Amino acid sequence: MKIEKLDIKGFGKFQNQVFILNKGMNVIYGSNEAGKSTLQAFIKGMLFGLKGGRRAKDGTLPDIRQFRPWSGHLYGGILEYTLDDGGRYTVGRNFQKSTVNLQDAYSNDITNEFAAGKEEGIKFAEQHLGLSEKSFVRTAFIGQMQSFVDPEGKKVLAERLLNLRQTGDEEVSFRKAMQALKDAQLSYVGSERTTTRPLNLVETRLVDALKKEQELIELHESRMDIYASIVQLKKESTRLQAQREELIKAKKILLENRQIADQKRLAFKLGEYRDQLVRTRNDSQKTEEEIAVLQAKLEHLNGYNDFTRSDANELSSNYTRYQILEKELEELQRLKTENKEKLEQAEKILKQYKLFETEKERIAKVLEETLYQKSGVQDVIPKRTRPGTQKVLPAAILFLAVAILTEIFLIRNYLPDWVNILILILCATLMTIFSIILYIAAVRQKQSQKETYIQYQSKRANNQSLLNEWMRDVKVENLQDFIGLKAMYENNCHACVKLRSEHDILQQRETKLLTQIEGLKTKVSPLLNRVNLGFSSGRIAKEDIQAWTNNLEACFSYISDIREMEGMKSR
């Protein structure tokens, strides 16, 4: 057997890794924990499967649990190998589901052609290697630090060779002994599954004692923790009491300082009011001049007199919504561009491999006949003719032969000679006729089988010719790549449908956004047009909104200042 390829989907530390082995000896090396032993265990598991069960006494996990991937990947893989007679096989295993699939060089499923055991599954490796799993492990399968056969291994090999020589079966002589030992252990000692044996009683008492010891330890630790907490809380209480007294003193000082500060601020304000009254009286003329200047400035902003704060708030709100909608429109247009590029790329691939669309039904039919039809000719050739030919005629011939023998040896002396002769002639004639009919039926059956076989071979050759022609058209070298390319084409078809649907949705959203933007422009334009501020390039410009807002605020400020100055003047 020559292993050619290892495709590990998930096994131990390996995930989606492929190893292609060359002819001759292959050396796989690496540092500690690089995965050499895991790779060796994968080969053994693909040939003979992985054993389950409980942990060993030393805590070692069984193989089926030891190499399960932590990341949740598919637990299994594919192994390709070639035998010395040229036969090429592919075995795939799913260790999580305990399933195995074996295919020959033509991708035909031959799993059911091998004997299967209850625990180990199909035994194809034993037939192809000529070794059982135990013999393989003791000879060809050399693990880490096991480059020699230990005494136990020598004993096992010697016993198996002796059993094979004496009985023809390498395990026959040990079964009864192992069963007797298991029965004796179960009766006098007990096991993990028993409940009333001496071993179980001792284990039960030991478990109870350990639980009680743990409870006492936890109770002692709990009491110590509570005592330490009480001491710590007393210290914390003393510290907080001292801190409280300090805070009370600080609060009293702060209250006194606040009263002094309030009195200082009151005296300062009174001084300011006095100075302000003096300045107001002295600056009355100056105030009148400033009012005149503000009124002159206000005349340039006559268009803003009719606006209110609500108009400003509405304009600000509409412009904010306008900015948000414009950003959404820009993002939407970017998504449309990306969608268009992806759609063009997918349509380019569909156009390049248009063969899968024009020949869709024929390709599906040829692939189904090629991949799923068994290679055995016996499935397409009729196995027998009609029941009347193969059952009735031989029975009639046998009956006539019995009749002839009966007439010759039993009733010959009781009938006249001419009657005996007539019976013999009649029976012989019928036997001849039936034999001729049976011969003709056999010849016709053989001819029918030959014609059926020729049709089968012709159909298979035509399918292979079509596949070769299609693979040349799409420039692939093997059937697996052709099937993968077909799957890629179908995925791109689904992607195109999805992208077109997304494009329609984006188009609808774009139309809706443009409608909303135009609505906001309709609301904003009257406010800007009344003060001779219009749109620049069909958009609501930030400068126009800022100028309108600044002018309105200036108008409100001038009016407020004039009123304030007039009020001060009247006082």
Side-chain angles (χ1 to χ4, degrees):
M1 176 186 287
K2 299 178 181 177
I3 299 176
E4 296 183 349
K5 181 179 178 181
L6 302 174
D7 186 358
I8 304 177
K9 304 300 182 184
F11 193 88
K13 69 180 294 180
F14 294 109
Q15 297 174 7
N16 296 325
Q17 294 194 19
V18 179
F19 299 87
I20 306 299
L21 304 182
N22 300 320
K23 294 182 179 180
M25 179 179 291
N26 290 265
V27 178
I28 298 175
Y29 61 93
S31 59
N32 291 336
E33 303 300 329
K36 302 184 294 299
S37 300
T38 303
L39 188 62
Q40 186 183 30
F42 174 78
I43 296 174
K44 173 177 170 290
M46 293 301 295
L47 293 176
F48 296 97
L50 297 178
K51 298 297 185 295
R54 301 181 178 178
R55 291 176 179 263
K57 292 184 178 180
D58 58 354
T60 304
L61 290 173
D63 293 345
I64 192 69
R65 296 172 58 189
Q66 181 179 357
F67 299 103
R68 179 180 291 113
W70 290 3
S71 60
H73 279 68
L74 175 65
Y75 189 12
I78 299 173
L79 182 144
E80 296 181 4
Y81 63 92
T82 304
L83 300 181
D84 294 340
D85 59 359
R88 185 172 182 178
Y89 299 88
T90 301
V91 57
R93 285 186 183 269
N94 186 330
F95 297 114
Q96 185 68 34
K97 298 182 179 179
S98 299
T99 58
V100 60
N101 177 266
L102 184 65
Q103 296 181 351
D104 59 12
Y106 300 101
S107 300
N108 295 313
D109 189 353
I110 59 173
T111 307
N112 296 328
E113 296 183 5
F114 296 89
K118 184 176 180 181
E119 297 181 355
E120 58 273 25
I122 64 169
K123 301 181 180 181
F124 70 92
E126 295 185 7
Q127 182 173 335
H128 287 171
L129 285 172
L131 293 173
S132 65
E133 181 180 359
K134 293 183 179 179
S135 300
F136 174 79
V137 171
R138 294 297 182 183
T139 55
F141 189 80
I142 302 175
Q144 187 176 11
M145 303 298 293
Q146 295 178 356
S147 59
F148 65 93
V149 181
D150 56 5
E152 182 182 358
K154 293 179 180 179
K155 182 179 179 181
V156 171
L157 290 176
E159 290 176 352
R160 291 183 179 276
L161 291 174
L162 182 60
N163 294 340
L164 188 63
R165 178 180 178 186
Q166 292 177 349
T167 64
D169 189 345
E170 61 184 22
E171 295 182 357
V172 168
S173 62
F174 289 99
R175 292 180 179 174
K176 293 182 179 180
M178 292 297 294
Q179 187 61 40
L181 289 174
K182 289 181 180 179
D183 293 341
Q185 181 184 4
L186 185 63
S187 300
Y188 299 106
V189 179
S191 65
E192 296 178 354
R193 298 183 179 179
T194 60
T195 57
T196 60
R197 303 301 183 192
L199 177 62
N200 307 123
L201 297 177
V202 172
E203 288 181 348
T204 302
R205 293 176 60 188
L206 180 59
V207 169
D208 293 339
L210 290 175
K211 286 183 179 179
K212 188 173 181 180
E213 180 185 7
Q214 185 64 30
E215 291 175 356
L216 292 175
I217 292 174
E218 292 177 355
L219 180 60
H220 177 71
E221 292 177 351
S222 175
R223 292 180 62 187
M224 294 299 295
D225 293 339
I226 293 172
Y227 178 76
S229 300
I230 292 173
V231 173
Q232 185 66 27
L233 289 173
K234 288 181 178 180
K235 293 180 179 179
E236 185 69 14
S237 176
T238 303
R239 186 183 66 80
L240 292 175
Q241 186 65 28
Q243 186 176 2
R244 179 175 176 275
E245 294 176 356
E246 293 178 358
L247 291 174
I248 291 173
K249 295 179 180 179
K251 180 181 179 182
K252 185 177 180 180
I253 295 172
L254 288 174
L255 289 174
E256 294 175 353
N257 292 335
R258 181 179 296 176
Q259 291 176 355
I260 295 172
D262 291 341
Q263 293 175 358
K264 288 182 177 180
R265 281 196 297 272
L266 180 59
F268 180 76
K269 287 183 179 181
L270 291 173
E272 286 183 346
Y273 292 153
R274 183 192 60 191
D275 296 339
Q276 184 178 2
L277 181 60
V278 173
R279 287 196 301 269
T280 301
R281 292 175 179 175
N282 294 333
D283 298 338
S284 176
Q285 186 178 358
K286 184 177 179 181
T287 301
E288 292 179 354
E289 294 175 356
E290 290 179 354
I291 291 174
V293 172
L294 291 174
Q295 288 177 345
K297 290 181 179 180
L298 189 60
E299 290 180 358
H300 295 288
L301 300 176
N302 285 332
Y304 293 91
N305 293 333
D306 298 332
F307 294 129
T308 63
R309 290 286 182 185
S310 61
D311 295 328
N313 294 334
E314 182 180 359
L315 181 65
S316 176
S317 175
N318 290 333
Y319 180 67
T320 302
R321 290 178 59 196
Y322 174 80
Q323 288 180 316
I324 294 173
L325 292 177
E326 272 206 332
K327 290 182 180 179
E328 290 183 4
L329 183 61
E330 292 177 359
E331 178 65 18
L332 189 62
Q333 290 174 347
R334 183 185 66 80
L335 293 175
K336 281 185 63 179
T337 303
E338 293 180 357
N339 177 273
K340 183 178 179 182
E341 293 175 354
K342 292 180 181 178
L343 184 59
E344 290 176 352
Q345 184 67 23
E347 289 177 344
K348 182 179 179 182
I349 294 175
L350 294 181
K351 185 177 180 181
Q352 182 180 359
Y353 299 108
K354 195 175 182 180
L355 170 69
F356 292 108
E357 181 63 28
T358 58
E359 300 289 344
K360 181 178 180 180
E361 295 182 357
R362 293 180 64 194
I363 290 174
K365 183 178 180 181
V366 170
L367 287 177
E368 181 179 2
E369 292 175 352
T370 303
L371 296 177
Y372 301 109
Q373 188 178 24
K374 294 185 178 180
S375 61
V377 183
Q378 64 274 10
D379 295 327
V380 297
I381 297 178
K383 296 183 178 180
R384 63 181 183 178
T385 58
R386 294 177 298 175
T389 304
Q390 287 196 350
K391 293 183 178 180
V392 178
L393 290 179
I397 293 172
L398 180 61
F399 175 76
L400 291 173
V402 173
I404 292 172
L405 294 176
T406 304
E407 199 280 333
I408 293 174
F409 293 102
L410 296 178
I411 64 175
R412 180 179 181 183
N413 297 326
Y414 301 99
L415 296 175
D417 293 338
W418 65 272
V419 176
N420 293 329
I421 293 172
L422 182 60
I423 292 173
L424 291 175
I425 291 173
L426 181 60
C427 293
T429 301
L430 292 174
M431 287 182 63
T432 303
I433 292 172
F434 291 159
S435 299
I436 292 171
I437 293 173
L438 186 62
Y439 173 74
I440 292 172
V443 171
R444 288 180 178 176
Q445 180 183 4
K446 185 175 182 181
Q447 183 65 25
S448 176
Q449 291 177 349
K450 183 176 180 181
E451 291 176 357
T452 305
Y453 178 75
I454 291 173
Q455 293 176 0
Y456 168 76
Q457 291 292 344
S458 176
K459 185 176 182 181
R460 189 172 182 177
N462 289 336
N463 290 342
Q464 189 62 43
S465 176
L466 284 173
L467 283 175
N468 292 335
E469 181 180 353
W470 290 335
M471 286 190 289
R472 285 194 300 271
D473 290 342
V474 297
K475 298 179 182 180
V476 296
E477 298 180 355
N478 53 56
L479 183 59
Q480 287 81 1
D481 294 341
F482 182 77
I483 295 173
L485 193 61
K486 178 176 177 293
M488 182 198 72
Y489 178 85
E490 293 173 352
N491 291 335
N492 275 276
C493 289
H494 296 308
C496 284
V497 173
K498 183 178 179 181
L499 289 172
R500 292 190 184 101
S501 176
E502 291 177 355
H503 179 268
D504 295 339
I505 295 172
L506 293 174
Q507 186 66 36
Q508 294 175 1
R509 289 178 59 191
E510 182 181 16
T511 303
K512 184 177 179 181
L513 286 175
L514 290 173
T515 302
Q516 293 176 349
I517 290 174
E518 290 299 324
L520 290 175
K521 288 181 180 179
T522 303
K523 293 180 180 179
V524 172
S525 58
L527 300 178
L528 298 179
N529 292 334
R530 285 170 61 180
V531 294
N532 298 323
L533 292 175
F535 295 146
S536 58
S537 68
R539 297 179 67 255
I540 300 176
K542 183 178 180 180
E543 294 78 10
D544 294 339
I545 300 297
Q546 189 66 41
W548 189 93
T549 304
N550 292 339
N551 291 336
L552 182 62
E553 290 295 330
C555 181
F556 290 158
S557 178
Y558 294 157
I559 293 173
S560 176
D561 291 342
I562 290 172
R563 290 175 180 174
E564 183 179 357
M565 290 179 181
E566 288 179 348
M568 292 174 62
K569 181 180 177 182
S570 63
R571 291 195 297 270

